[in-house]
Amino acid sequence: VREMLAATVYVALLGCLQAQQLQGHVSIILLGATGDLAKKYLWQGLFQLYLDEAGKGHSFRFHGTALTSTEQGQEVIAKVLESLSCPSNTAPSRCAELKAQFQQLSEYRRLKTPEDYLALSKDIEAQVQHEGLREAGRIFYLSVPPFAYADIARNINSSCRPGPGAWLRVVLEKPFGHDHHSAQQLAAELGSFFQEEEMYRVDHYLGKQVVAQILPFRDQNRKALDGLWNRHHVERVEIIMKETVDTAGRTSFYEEYGVIRDVIQNHLTEILTLVAMELPGNVSSPEAVLQHKLQAFRALRGLQKSSAVVGQYQAYSRQVRRELQKPDSFHSLTPTFAGILVHVDNLRWEGVPFILMSGKALDERVSYARVLFKNQAYCAQSERRWEAEQSQCLPRQVIFYIGHGELGSPAVLVSRNLFRPSLPSASWWEVTDRPGLHLFGRPLSDFYAYSPVREQDAYSILISHIFHHRKDSFVTTENLLASWVFWTPLLESLAREVPRLYPGGAENGPVLDFEFSSNRLSFSQPPPEQVVPGPGSVPTPSHFQVLTAKYRHSPLISAWPEELIARLAGDIEAAAVRAVQRFGKFHLALSGGSSPVALFQQLATGHYGFPWAHTHLWLVDERCVPLWDPESNFQGLQAHLLQHVRVPHYNVHPMPVQRHQRLCAEEDQGAQAYAEEISALVTNSSFDLVLLGMGTDGHTASLFPQSPTGLDGEQLVVRTESPSRPFQRMSLSLPLINRARKVAVLVMGRMKRDIAMLVSRVGHEPKKWPISGVLPTSGQLVWYMDYEAFLG
């Protein structure tokens, strides 16, 4: 019995060992294997994966593929494989042996037609069967332009998926779209072929060791950071990527994408979310990290044109003309430099500026994220007696130093007067002082500085994560689309912006320096005399002053957008001050939509004499959605005005579109309730000032052409139907609007030119053009129209 038991145990152990030795065969197919990215990083990353995983149970085969002919491709791949390097601690003889093994396992083939994909799949199956292996899975790394993704995805899905029980992983390189719409289209197309679990979108910055350490660092130092990582202690956050190289040889790509799409929308935005997001309980959970990232995206304040400054190095247009055969008269508007001011509107970060900056042809190559803390100390002794570990007068900062620059290597730095950080001792070691080296104006000795024990290339790390199915280092579809939702409006607003020219390199001097206040970012110095001519001879604001005239027999004020908004904000403040002096309160009714956003921001940041404590805020109209919904007019008012000024909460009067957990139900009588509230609080139901807009169809408030209610009659507040979603609305009626002491109509943008011209000629026809029915009974009507709406 004992012998039989021993034999059984032996067989079981042998089976376990064999299972361990034969975990399965992995095929890695590199598409675009002869391209620059593959030659520079990806083959080396695949070799590193082989070095790390050889002998651990999996067998490998590496298939380099491209559209290049077989003979030419084999020649390129042979040179690349010969140039591969081993870790520095590998003996030369051992390195030669490992390279020879890897070369034996690597091949090149042309992969173009559906038949090519089917042949590849059959070859993999035949090899696995011939060697008596089990197929574990296939990795397809698409190092190709995004326009090729759809055809490749279709071919993989139809002809090259592994069989049952084996996994598929498809790796995609940026760019993932050009804006939100194109990103959605690409995501939908890829989603029709692959499951989310099968896709790995690479942002190689997430593979950089310091970036990958941000969340673990915050987690391991929770106790020290919990009281510091917030608006009460952080002065600002800088997320920077500077490059000395220009775009020579890449102008075709750069003309389409520019610096914001190339670097800021992805690399720097990922870092922003890692710094700003709330820490999940488990930072190792990809699902929890994704949800907290999405929360951070939802808290980002929308960007305006004034949130950014853009530049272009002087030689860029010349390079574009040469490389893309453009005429001598061509001047590109593509930015090669951008500085962006971002705000995170939540309790942790409210009011803290996040500065994102990147550019080509700058004075140094360096990348970092720097959290600078407020300094509220005064030190009685002179500066020469301040001690780095004790003096609170020295700068206090945490720096995630991603690479290059003066330090020359990745590092995490913490000011000694903050706390001694905790990092994994097995993989991070403390850097010794380097006399004479200064970072951000302070000697290295002022910091606790830690660097990786073993520096690794980002692509090698990411390829390892793909193999080990670690999804936390990759960009999900939700994450990607959230980023594009945030960046697309700014990109559209900057599309015709003429960038500031800069010479490049050390000669830039202070020409790109910028400063910020509240929501605005601007260059510190006036523009140099030489500028890039924009498209056409567009007049500039200096050609006009604020124009006053008549429109529909009422005063018209016209100006460029900034001057117009400033004038309207000043007029509203003057009306508020007068009303409070006479009556003790000011009743202001505001419209929603996009036009008033700039006005709200102007009132919030530039009018400190505004009597907010005595102001009642009402809504002119509201969509029948919950008040927290992004489409809610109240939500827009909250985001752009209310959270920045001190209006007593009992003076804020949102429309009751949601009652009894229902939206605009007739039996809930929300419109009647709002009318009763107005009658009770507003004398004679006459607002001191009503702000309206005008739609391209002539509607105003939520009173649309042919509306059966609200254009006349006794009702003060009505339920209406919109021709576009969300269809149900609530609105003040024309009779109530016309009781106001003053009505201001704000009309902005070239899209309003046609309706502005039409309305200027029509009479009192509110059924056709509701805006034509706006005429205060005993008050004043003033039109505020920018030059594009007024002059076209």
Side-chain angles (χ1 to χ4, degrees), residues 100-120:
Q101 291 173 9
F102 184 72
Q103 288 166 350
Q104 285 292 316
L105 296 172
S106 302
E107 63 152 21
Y108 174 81
R109 64 164 66 211
R110 190 174 186 180
L111 198 59
K112 187 175 183 181
T113 65
E115 292 74 23
D116 293 337
Y117 284 84
L118 187 60
L120 170 63

PDB file of all heavy atoms in Angstrom, residues 100-120:
ATOM      1  N   ALA A 100      20.405  34.593 -29.609  1.00  0.00           N
ATOM      2  CA  ALA A 100      20.284  33.539 -30.627  1.00  0.00           C
ATOM      3  C   ALA A 100      18.965  32.776 -30.454  1.00  0.00           C
ATOM      4  O   ALA A 100      18.277  32.460 -31.444  1.00  0.00           O
ATOM      5  CB  ALA A 100      21.469  32.580 -30.523  1.00  0.00           C
ATOM      6  N   GLN A 101      18.587  32.500 -29.205  1.00  0.00           N
ATOM      7  CA  GLN A 101      17.320  31.817 -28.943  1.00  0.00           C
ATOM      8  C   GLN A 101      16.143  32.666 -29.432  1.00  0.00           C
ATOM      9  O   GLN A 101      15.214  32.156 -30.083  1.00  0.00           O
ATOM     10  CB  GLN A 101      17.171  31.529 -27.446  1.00  0.00           C
ATOM     11  CG  GLN A 101      18.125  30.492 -26.898  1.00  0.00           C
ATOM     12  CD  GLN A 101      18.038  30.392 -25.372  1.00  0.00           C
ATOM     13  OE1 GLN A 101      17.153  30.968 -24.749  1.00  0.00           O
ATOM     14  NE2 GLN A 101      18.972  29.662 -24.779  1.00  0.00           N
ATOM     15  N   PHE A 102      16.200  33.952 -29.115  1.00  0.00           N
ATOM     16  CA  PHE A 102      15.107  34.859 -29.503  1.00  0.00           C
ATOM     17  C   PHE A 102      15.008  34.964 -31.027  1.00  0.00           C
ATOM     18  O   PHE A 102      13.913  34.978 -31.588  1.00  0.00           O
ATOM     19  CB  PHE A 102      15.337  36.236 -28.873  1.00  0.00           C
ATOM     20  CG  PHE A 102      14.229  37.217 -29.122  1.00  0.00           C
ATOM     21  CD1 PHE A 102      13.005  37.086 -28.488  1.00  0.00           C
ATOM     22  CD2 PHE A 102      14.398  38.277 -30.020  1.00  0.00           C
ATOM     23  CE1 PHE A 102      11.967  37.994 -28.717  1.00  0.00           C
ATOM     24  CE2 PHE A 102      13.374  39.181 -30.258  1.00  0.00           C
ATOM     25  CZ  PHE A 102      12.149  39.036 -29.602  1.00  0.00           C
ATOM     26  N   GLN A 103      16.177  35.028 -31.691  1.00  0.00           N
ATOM     27  CA  GLN A 103      16.180  35.098 -33.151  1.00  0.00           C
ATOM     28  C   GLN A 103      15.562  33.845 -33.771  1.00  0.00           C
ATOM     29  O   GLN A 103      14.841  33.929 -34.775  1.00  0.00           O
ATOM     30  CB  GLN A 103      17.617  35.303 -33.660  1.00  0.00           C
ATOM     31  CG  GLN A 103      18.140  36.709 -33.382  1.00  0.00           C
ATOM     32  CD  GLN A 103      19.647  36.826 -33.556  1.00  0.00           C
ATOM     33  OE1 GLN A 103      20.340  35.819 -33.699  1.00  0.00           O
ATOM     34  NE2 GLN A 103      20.164  38.045 -33.533  1.00  0.00           N
ATOM     35  N   GLN A 104      15.830  32.700 -33.161  1.00  0.00           N
ATOM     36  CA  GLN A 104      15.253  31.437 -33.647  1.00  0.00           C
ATOM     37  C   GLN A 104      13.728  31.441 -33.542  1.00  0.00           C
ATOM     38  O   GLN A 104      13.036  30.820 -34.341  1.00  0.00           O
ATOM     39  CB  GLN A 104      15.820  30.258 -32.838  1.00  0.00           C
ATOM     40  CG  GLN A 104      17.239  29.880 -33.180  1.00  0.00           C
ATOM     41  CD  GLN A 104      17.335  29.285 -34.587  1.00  0.00           C
ATOM     42  OE1 GLN A 104      16.523  28.452 -34.980  1.00  0.00           O
ATOM     43  NE2 GLN A 104      18.322  29.742 -35.354  1.00  0.00           N
ATOM     44  N   LEU A 105      13.219  32.153 -32.515  1.00  0.00           N
ATOM     45  CA  LEU A 105      11.778  32.167 -32.256  1.00  0.00           C
ATOM     46  C   LEU A 105      11.063  33.294 -33.000  1.00  0.00           C
ATOM     47  O   LEU A 105       9.853  33.439 -32.896  1.00  0.00           O
ATOM     48  CB  LEU A 105      11.508  32.315 -30.754  1.00  0.00           C
ATOM     49  CG  LEU A 105      11.995  31.155 -29.873  1.00  0.00           C
ATOM     50  CD1 LEU A 105      11.857  31.517 -28.400  1.00  0.00           C
ATOM     51  CD2 LEU A 105      11.195  29.887 -30.184  1.00  0.00           C
ATOM     52  N   SER A 106      11.820  34.117 -33.720  1.00  0.00           N
ATOM     53  CA  SER A 106      11.242  35.287 -34.391  1.00  0.00           C
ATOM     54  C   SER A 106      11.260  35.078 -35.901  1.00  0.00           C
ATOM     55  O   SER A 106      12.226  34.518 -36.452  1.00  0.00           O
ATOM     56  CB  SER A 106      12.026  36.555 -34.042  1.00  0.00           C
ATOM     57  OG  SER A 106      12.036  36.755 -32.643  1.00  0.00           O
ATOM     58  N   GLU A 107      10.209  35.556 -36.566  1.00  0.00           N
ATOM     59  CA  GLU A 107      10.128  35.441 -38.019  1.00  0.00           C
ATOM     60  C   GLU A 107       9.449  36.678 -38.572  1.00  0.00           C
ATOM     61  O   GLU A 107       8.802  37.430 -37.855  1.00  0.00           O
ATOM     62  CB  GLU A 107       9.319  34.196 -38.400  1.00  0.00           C
ATOM     63  CG  GLU A 107       7.864  34.248 -37.938  1.00  0.00           C
ATOM     64  CD  GLU A 107       6.934  33.440 -38.831  1.00  0.00           C
ATOM     65  OE1 GLU A 107       7.414  32.556 -39.536  1.00  0.00           O
ATOM     66  OE2 GLU A 107       5.716  33.727 -38.812  1.00  0.00           O
ATOM     67  N   TYR A 108       9.619  36.879 -39.865  1.00  0.00           N
ATOM     68  CA  TYR A 108       8.912  37.970 -40.538  1.00  0.00           C
ATOM     69  C   TYR A 108       8.011  37.376 -41.617  1.00  0.00           C
ATOM     70  O   TYR A 108       8.377  36.427 -42.308  1.00  0.00           O
ATOM     71  CB  TYR A 108       9.874  38.961 -41.197  1.00  0.00           C
ATOM     72  CG  TYR A 108       9.130  40.008 -42.007  1.00  0.00           C
ATOM     73  CD1 TYR A 108       8.558  41.111 -41.383  1.00  0.00           C
ATOM     74  CD2 TYR A 108       8.925  39.850 -43.382  1.00  0.00           C
ATOM     75  CE1 TYR A 108       7.815  42.047 -42.109  1.00  0.00           C
ATOM     76  CE2 TYR A 108       8.190  40.778 -44.116  1.00  0.00           C
ATOM     77  CZ  TYR A 108       7.639  41.868 -43.460  1.00  0.00           C
ATOM     78  OH  TYR A 108       6.897  42.788 -44.173  1.00  0.00           O
ATOM     79  N   ARG A 109       6.814  37.927 -41.767  1.00  0.00           N
ATOM     80  CA  ARG A 109       5.918  37.550 -42.862  1.00  0.00           C
ATOM     81  C   ARG A 109       5.106  38.769 -43.275  1.00  0.00           C
ATOM     82  O   ARG A 109       4.851  39.673 -42.475  1.00  0.00           O
ATOM     83  CB  ARG A 109       5.004  36.405 -42.467  1.00  0.00           C
ATOM     84  CG  ARG A 109       4.029  36.730 -41.336  1.00  0.00           C
ATOM     85  CD  ARG A 109       2.924  35.703 -41.269  1.00  0.00           C
ATOM     86  NE  ARG A 109       3.406  34.392 -40.906  1.00  0.00           N
ATOM     87  CZ  ARG A 109       2.863  33.244 -41.308  1.00  0.00           C
ATOM     88  NH1 ARG A 109       1.811  33.268 -42.107  1.00  0.00           N
ATOM     89  NH2 ARG A 109       3.346  32.084 -40.942  1.00  0.00           N
ATOM     90  N   ARG A 110       4.705  38.784 -44.521  1.00  0.00           N
ATOM     91  CA  ARG A 110       3.837  39.851 -45.012  1.00  0.00           C
ATOM     92  C   ARG A 110       2.409  39.541 -44.564  1.00  0.00           C
ATOM     93  O   ARG A 110       1.954  38.401 -44.679  1.00  0.00           O
ATOM     94  CB  ARG A 110       3.911  39.936 -46.519  1.00  0.00           C
ATOM     95  CG  ARG A 110       3.218  41.165 -47.087  1.00  0.00           C
ATOM     96  CD  ARG A 110       3.444  41.273 -48.572  1.00  0.00           C
ATOM     97  NE  ARG A 110       2.911  42.521 -49.105  1.00  0.00           N
ATOM     98  CZ  ARG A 110       2.972  42.862 -50.381  1.00  0.00           C
ATOM     99  NH1 ARG A 110       3.555  42.056 -51.244  1.00  0.00           N
ATOM    100  NH2 ARG A 110       2.467  44.007 -50.796  1.00  0.00           N
ATOM    101  N   LEU A 111       1.717  40.561 -44.033  1.00  0.00           N
ATOM    102  CA  LEU A 111       0.353  40.366 -43.543  1.00  0.00           C
ATOM    103  C   LEU A 111      -0.506  41.480 -44.132  1.00  0.00           C
ATOM    104  O   LEU A 111      -0.441  42.628 -43.674  1.00  0.00           O
ATOM    105  CB  LEU A 111       0.342  40.406 -42.011  1.00  0.00           C
ATOM    106  CG  LEU A 111      -0.872  39.821 -41.296  1.00  0.00           C
ATOM    107  CD1 LEU A 111      -1.058  38.358 -41.643  1.00  0.00           C
ATOM    108  CD2 LEU A 111      -0.728  39.973 -39.783  1.00  0.00           C
ATOM    109  N   LYS A 112      -1.293  41.128 -45.132  1.00  0.00           N
ATOM    110  CA  LYS A 112      -2.031  42.167 -45.848  1.00  0.00           C
ATOM    111  C   LYS A 112      -3.476  41.761 -46.125  1.00  0.00           C
ATOM    112  O   LYS A 112      -4.412  42.499 -45.801  1.00  0.00           O
ATOM    113  CB  LYS A 112      -1.314  42.482 -47.157  1.00  0.00           C
ATOM    114  CG  LYS A 112      -1.894  43.673 -47.922  1.00  0.00           C
ATOM    115  CD  LYS A 112      -1.053  43.995 -49.141  1.00  0.00           C
ATOM    116  CE  LYS A 112      -1.586  45.224 -49.869  1.00  0.00           C
ATOM    117  NZ  LYS A 112      -0.769  45.533 -51.083  1.00  0.00           N
ATOM    118  N   THR A 113      -3.673  40.579 -46.692  1.00  0.00           N
ATOM    119  CA  THR A 113      -5.005  40.160 -47.128  1.00  0.00           C
ATOM    120  C   THR A 113      -5.650  39.245 -46.094  1.00  0.00           C
ATOM    121  O   THR A 113      -4.967  38.703 -45.219  1.00  0.00           O
ATOM    122  CB  THR A 113      -4.905  39.394 -48.460  1.00  0.00           C
ATOM    123  OG1 THR A 113      -4.167  38.176 -48.220  1.00  0.00           O
ATOM    124  CG2 THR A 113      -4.173  40.215 -49.512  1.00  0.00           C
ATOM    125  N   PRO A 114      -6.983  39.058 -46.184  1.00  0.00           N
ATOM    126  CA  PRO A 114      -7.640  38.095 -45.283  1.00  0.00           C
ATOM    127  C   PRO A 114      -7.013  36.705 -45.374  1.00  0.00           C
ATOM    128  O   PRO A 114      -6.911  35.988 -44.375  1.00  0.00           O
ATOM    129  CB  PRO A 114      -9.091  38.087 -45.778  1.00  0.00           C
ATOM    130  CG  PRO A 114      -9.282  39.421 -46.423  1.00  0.00           C
ATOM    131  CD  PRO A 114      -7.962  39.769 -47.035  1.00  0.00           C
ATOM    132  N   GLU A 115      -6.540  36.348 -46.580  1.00  0.00           N
ATOM    133  CA  GLU A 115      -5.891  35.042 -46.752  1.00  0.00           C
ATOM    134  C   GLU A 115      -4.592  34.964 -45.958  1.00  0.00           C
ATOM    135  O   GLU A 115      -4.255  33.899 -45.421  1.00  0.00           O
ATOM    136  CB  GLU A 115      -5.610  34.785 -48.244  1.00  0.00           C
ATOM    137  CG  GLU A 115      -6.847  34.577 -49.108  1.00  0.00           C
ATOM    138  CD  GLU A 115      -7.619  35.862 -49.386  1.00  0.00           C
ATOM    139  OE1 GLU A 115      -6.987  36.962 -49.304  1.00  0.00           O
ATOM    140  OE2 GLU A 115      -8.836  35.784 -49.650  1.00  0.00           O
ATOM    141  N   ASP A 116      -3.868  36.104 -45.877  1.00  0.00           N
ATOM    142  CA  ASP A 116      -2.626  36.123 -45.087  1.00  0.00           C
ATOM    143  C   ASP A 116      -2.919  35.859 -43.606  1.00  0.00           C
ATOM    144  O   ASP A 116      -2.174  35.144 -42.938  1.00  0.00           O
ATOM    145  CB  ASP A 116      -1.925  37.481 -45.228  1.00  0.00           C
ATOM    146  CG  ASP A 116      -1.408  37.737 -46.633  1.00  0.00           C
ATOM    147  OD1 ASP A 116      -1.194  36.758 -47.368  1.00  0.00           O
ATOM    148  OD2 ASP A 116      -1.233  38.925 -46.981  1.00  0.00           O
ATOM    149  N   TYR A 117      -4.011  36.449 -43.110  1.00  0.00           N
ATOM    150  CA  TYR A 117      -4.369  36.253 -41.693  1.00  0.00           C
ATOM    151  C   TYR A 117      -4.779  34.800 -41.440  1.00  0.00           C
ATOM    152  O   TYR A 117      -4.419  34.210 -40.419  1.00  0.00           O
ATOM    153  CB  TYR A 117      -5.507  37.197 -41.293  1.00  0.00           C
ATOM    154  CG  TYR A 117      -5.064  38.627 -41.099  1.00  0.00           C
ATOM    155  CD1 TYR A 117      -4.949  39.494 -42.181  1.00  0.00           C
ATOM    156  CD2 TYR A 117      -4.748  39.114 -39.827  1.00  0.00           C
ATOM    157  CE1 TYR A 117      -4.534  40.811 -42.015  1.00  0.00           C
ATOM    158  CE2 TYR A 117      -4.341  40.427 -39.649  1.00  0.00           C
ATOM    159  CZ  TYR A 117      -4.235  41.269 -40.754  1.00  0.00           C
ATOM    160  OH  TYR A 117      -3.814  42.571 -40.574  1.00  0.00           O
ATOM    161  N   LEU A 118      -5.525  34.235 -42.372  1.00  0.00           N
ATOM    162  CA  LEU A 118      -5.955  32.844 -42.225  1.00  0.00           C
ATOM    163  C   LEU A 118      -4.749  31.907 -42.254  1.00  0.00           C
ATOM    164  O   LEU A 118      -4.669  30.956 -41.456  1.00  0.00           O
ATOM    165  CB  LEU A 118      -6.939  32.497 -43.349  1.00  0.00           C
ATOM    166  CG  LEU A 118      -7.630  31.131 -43.261  1.00  0.00           C
ATOM    167  CD1 LEU A 118      -8.439  31.023 -41.956  1.00  0.00           C
ATOM    168  CD2 LEU A 118      -8.539  30.922 -44.454  1.00  0.00           C
ATOM    169  N   ALA A 119      -3.798  32.194 -43.142  1.00  0.00           N
ATOM    170  CA  ALA A 119      -2.590  31.371 -43.230  1.00  0.00           C
ATOM    171  C   ALA A 119      -1.777  31.456 -41.939  1.00  0.00           C
ATOM    172  O   ALA A 119      -1.251  30.452 -41.452  1.00  0.00           O
ATOM    173  CB  ALA A 119      -1.749  31.818 -44.425  1.00  0.00           C
ATOM    174  N   LEU A 120      -1.683  32.662 -41.372  1.00  0.00           N
ATOM    175  CA  LEU A 120      -0.967  32.827 -40.105  1.00  0.00           C
ATOM    176  C   LEU A 120      -1.623  32.000 -39.017  1.00  0.00           C
ATOM    177  O   LEU A 120      -0.950  31.302 -38.246  1.00  0.00           O
ATOM    178  CB  LEU A 120      -0.947  34.312 -39.713  1.00  0.00           C
ATOM    179  CG  LEU A 120      -0.442  34.635 -38.299  1.00  0.00           C
ATOM    180  CD1 LEU A 120       1.022  34.215 -38.135  1.00  0.00           C
ATOM    181  CD2 LEU A 120      -0.591  36.130 -37.986  1.00  0.00           C
TER     182      LEU A 120
END
